[in-house]
Amino acid sequence: MKHDSWLPGIATSLYSPNFSDNLGCHGRLAGNNPQDDKSVGLNDAIQSLVSYFETNDIRECILIGHSYGGMVITGAFDKLGAERIKRLVYWNAFVPNPGECLNDMVPPNYVGLFDAIAQDDGSVLLPYPIWREAFINDADEDLAKASYERLNPHPYKTFTDTIELSKAPAEMEVGKSYLNCQEDVALPASLPWHPRLSEKLGLYRLVSMPGSHESCFTNPTLLGKKMIEAGRD
Amino acid sequence: MKHDSWLPGIATSLYSPNFSDNLGCHGRLAGNNPQDDKSVGLNDAIQSLVSYFETNDIRECILIGHSYGGMVITGAFDKLGAERIKRLVYWNAFVPNPGECLNDMVPPNYVGLFDAIAQDDGSVLLPYPIWREAFINDADEDLAKASYERLNPHPYKTFTDTIELSKAPAEMEVGKSYLNCQEDVALPASLPWHPRLSEKLGLYRLVSMPGSHESCFTNPTLLGKKMIEAGRD
Amino acid sequence: MKHDSWLPGIATSLYSPNFSDNLGCHGRLAGNNPQDDKSVGLNDAIQSLVSYFETNDIRECILIGHSYGGMVITGAFDKLGAERIKRLVYWNAFVPNPGECLNDMVPPNYVGLFDAIAQDDGSVLLPYPIWREAFINDADEDLAKASYERLNPHPYKTFTDTIELSKAPAEMEVGKSYLNCQEDVALPASLPWHPRLSEKLGLYRLVSMPGSHESCFTNPTLLGKKMIEAGRD
């Protein structure tokens, strides 16, 4: 591994088994079901969430997105509006402006790594050493390995597709929170989640806690408590 | 609210009911008593604290300033000296160099917001949504509302008056501490209290804790403990 | 003390009574034994650690370096290799690239302070006010004084000698962790240990905790727990 290619800087997108659970959905985002075609793109993922809201007539929802999930909840709010979604919670998540893709928010060497590890079916999966050191740094080895086994290859196209938005997140009239796990170095600490991405929200509520990018595995109790603090009125 | 005007970046100055209590005073700084004329300036506020020390012949005091209060304690020490004040504790507070005003230390868009919300009587009061999301982000809604009801409009002139000092804080021969609440985004995290303002103190003691700008409301017990750690010899 | 010379930015090197204890050694690094000649240089210190490994045929060791100790463990790994050392743990420690000296990683005003306080025998010892405010800021006064009494003057040549390394730390094939005490302002918070120095490691595991540069004195229990988290597979 080269000096300048040491971290991938993604997140739930690379596995996201629990992302849809966080939403309280019974299905998963398009592209994240194990059997999904790995060529699906960002708009497919957003649309699958939009359809879920509409099919189930969900209203006044607090929507949490983790990592890549920040792309999806931003896009979904833009289509669904404040009647259906009352607050967006970004948990160490990407915050896109109109026309940005996820890869625009990671260092160039990450893009190089993604390109290098992309499979023929269009999916990417994080190498274990990166997972262990930079994503789940606060786990013991058993948990690091067990959680890695649960990862689900992710459709890379969702990182390279640019997002269509009618306005920037800072202009969106909705409650906005950023939940920051303070030992999350899945993005380099010199190019961090917070405040680099959080401040793209305009007025937002900051909630933070100790923990890695994978606090859903390493400290779910505290994470749940902080999600409530981030999501309440 | 525009993208670039999302945070005001002030503080106790906008309410400061407890500031004088922190000092152990029975009165309040000029400008912060509910009945005070809202045209009072920074020097009036400083002089009211200086007079309190002299009238009561206070010596070897540990003086804590919060937010705007950092302006006042810096000015008071410059007039009173080390015999009366043994240590200055800046709790998420402004640290002015000679000739600076508070507005010099906040982003230009904050100044624009202040100008826009200033009342005819010369006072400013924070809009509730900013209070709730950026100042008391760690409170539940009931506490956010109850504390907002206690706020006292603040004389804006104290933010635009430049301070007269015989020397920079870094040169002042007095104990200096900075108490930093780590989720305080009353100033943007990209233009933060610490280390941007703390390092203007020269040699100082850092004490930190989790919490928002309004930890006096949300976690007074821990705040008190940290004030003691910041203030001790 | 001038505004721009307020912090020295060193560390264990200035006392290091416990550094060798952390290694599980019964001796100390050359230069840090009380009776040592204070003219010893960086290579002497590194070689004393290398010899200890070889004499005792130590293998699969997890090696922790604090502050200046980061120079020594980096140099020792370069000579000893991954068979003897399985992981390097940098606890608020310097991370040198080939040809750098410790003084290259501190602000110019620190170098000025070191030069000014260096004794005729080649040693440096931190003035108490700097120790108390910037190194052991989380201690009470009794502990600050008692720990200061234990300090051992440090050979300054080890800060000015450049290190010889066959490769940069980012290229070293060994486990790497950075343990960051979050109130450590022994280096200025604007020119911090983490991520400025930690990211020189390439892929590394971040572990953090509240505490000053001297958490070995102020919170040894938590520090020990975090050392285990940093050192495990």
Side-chain angles (χ1 to χ4, degrees), chain A:
Chain A
M1 184 167 299
K2 302 262 294 304
H3 182 192
D4 61 349
S5 65
W6 51 285
L7 271 184
I10 324 190
T12 320
S13 62
L14 290 179
Y15 62 109
S16 47
N18 292 322
F19 176 73
S20 49
D21 297 340
N22 291 335
L23 297 174
C25 299
H26 305 296
R28 288 173 178 168
L29 293 176
N32 286 119
N33 296 286
Q35 73 280 14
D36 281 354
D37 190 304
K38 295 304 178 185
S39 65
V40 302
L42 179 60
N43 200 49
D44 301 318
I46 292 169
Q47 192 53 49
S48 71
L49 181 58
V50 167
S51 298
Y52 186 88
F53 268 78
E54 291 172 342
T55 301
N56 296 279
D57 194 21
I58 296 171
R59 293 169 190 277
E60 298 191 8
C61 180
I62 300 157
L63 191 55
I64 300 176
H66 182 218
S67 204
Y68 154 72
M71 302 294 291
V72 181
I73 65 171
T74 308
F77 175 79
D78 196 53
K79 293 181 190 299
L80 291 166
E83 191 192 353
R84 294 208 182 276
I85 299 173
K86 63 188 289 192
R87 183 172 289 268
L88 297 171
V89 178
Y90 294 79
W91 159 37
N92 291 81
F94 290 94
V95 180
N97 280 326
E100 285 190 314
C101 68
L102 185 148
N103 270 1
D104 289 335
M105 288 174 262
V106 303
N109 54 300
Y110 285 37
V111 178
L113 176 63
F114 296 160
D115 290 346
I117 66 175
Q119 301 295 303
D120 287 345
D121 69 353
S123 71
V124 284
L125 183 65
L126 207 56
Y128 177 75
I130 296 175
W131 172 260
R132 199 279 164 274
E133 300 292 43
F135 278 67
I136 197 159
N137 34 314
D138 53 351
D140 63 21
E141 189 180 23
D142 285 350
L143 179 56
K145 286 184 173 171
S147 56
Y148 187 74
E149 291 303 311
R150 296 178 59 186
L151 301 195
N152 185 14
H154 186 83
Y156 185 39
K157 191 165 183 294
T158 62
F159 294 178
T160 57
D161 283 351
T162 58
I163 196 166
E164 289 178 36
L165 296 172
S166 66
K167 61 182 71 164
E171 311 298 331
M172 292 178 176
E173 293 189 0
V174 60
K176 288 168 267 187
S177 298
Y178 207 92
L179 169 46
N180 184 48
C181 290
Q182 294 162 318
E183 281 77 46
D184 184 340
V185 286
L187 281 178
S190 60
L191 201 71
W193 300 96
H194 167 75
R196 185 177 63 106
L197 300 178
S198 54
E199 291 193 351
K200 294 169 79 174
L201 295 173
L203 179 64
Y204 72 101
R205 183 189 307 168
L206 175 67
V207 174
S208 68
M209 59 175 274
S212 72
H213 197 68
E214 304 305 329
S215 296
C216 46
F217 292 114
T218 56
N219 199 347
T221 304
L222 181 60
L223 180 64
K225 180 175 181 293
K226 293 296 174 180
M227 283 179 172
I228 290 170
E229 292 179 12
R232 63 190 173 188
D233 285 340

Side-chain angles (χ1 to χ4, degrees), chain B residues 103-212:
Chain B
N103 271 1
D104 289 335
M105 289 174 262
V106 304
N109 55 300
Y110 286 37
V111 177
L113 176 63
F114 297 160
D115 291 346
I117 66 175
Q119 301 295 303
D120 287 344
D121 69 353
S123 71
V124 284
L125 182 65
L126 207 55
Y128 177 74
I130 296 175
W131 172 260
R132 198 279 164 275
E133 300 293 41
F135 278 69
I136 198 161
N137 34 314
D138 53 351
D140 62 22
E141 189 180 23
D142 285 350
L143 180 57
K145 286 184 173 171
S147 55
Y148 187 73
E149 291 305 311
R150 297 177 59 185
L151 301 195
N152 186 13
H154 186 84
Y156 184 37
K157 190 165 184 293
T158 62
F159 294 178
T160 57
D161 283 350
T162 58
I163 195 166
E164 290 178 36
L165 296 173
S166 65
K167 63 183 70 164
E171 311 297 332
M172 292 179 176
E173 293 188 358
V174 60
K176 286 168 269 187
S177 297
Y178 207 92
L179 169 46
N180 184 48
C181 290
Q182 293 161 319
E183 281 79 44
D184 184 341
V185 286
L187 281 177
S190 60
L191 201 71
W193 301 97
H194 167 74
R196 184 177 64 105
L197 300 178
S198 54
E199 292 193 351
K200 294 170 79 175
L201 295 173
L203 179 65
Y204 73 101
R205 183 190 306 168
L206 175 67
V207 174
S208 68
M209 59 175 274
S212 73

Side-chain angles (χ1 to χ4, degrees), chain C residues 130-196:
Chain C
I130 296 175
W131 172 259
R132 199 280 164 274
E133 300 293 43
F135 278 69
I136 197 160
N137 33 315
D138 54 352
D140 63 23
E141 189 180 22
D142 285 349
L143 180 56
K145 286 184 173 171
S147 56
Y148 187 73
E149 292 303 311
R150 296 178 59 185
L151 302 195
N152 185 13
H154 186 84
Y156 185 37
K157 191 165 184 294
T158 61
F159 294 178
T160 57
D161 283 350
T162 58
I163 196 166
E164 291 178 34
L165 296 173
S166 65
K167 62 183 70 165
E171 310 297 333
M172 292 179 177
E173 294 189 358
V174 59
K176 286 168 270 187
S177 297
Y178 207 92
L179 169 46
N180 184 47
C181 290
Q182 293 161 317
E183 281 78 45
D184 184 341
V185 287
L187 282 177
S190 59
L191 201 71
W193 299 98
H194 167 74
R196 184 177 64 105

Side-chain angles (χ1 to χ4, degrees), chain B residues 204-221:
Chain B
Y204 73 101
R205 183 190 306 168
L206 175 67
V207 174
S208 68
M209 59 175 274
S212 73
H213 197 67
E214 304 305 329
S215 296
C216 47
F217 292 113
T218 55
N219 199 348
T221 304

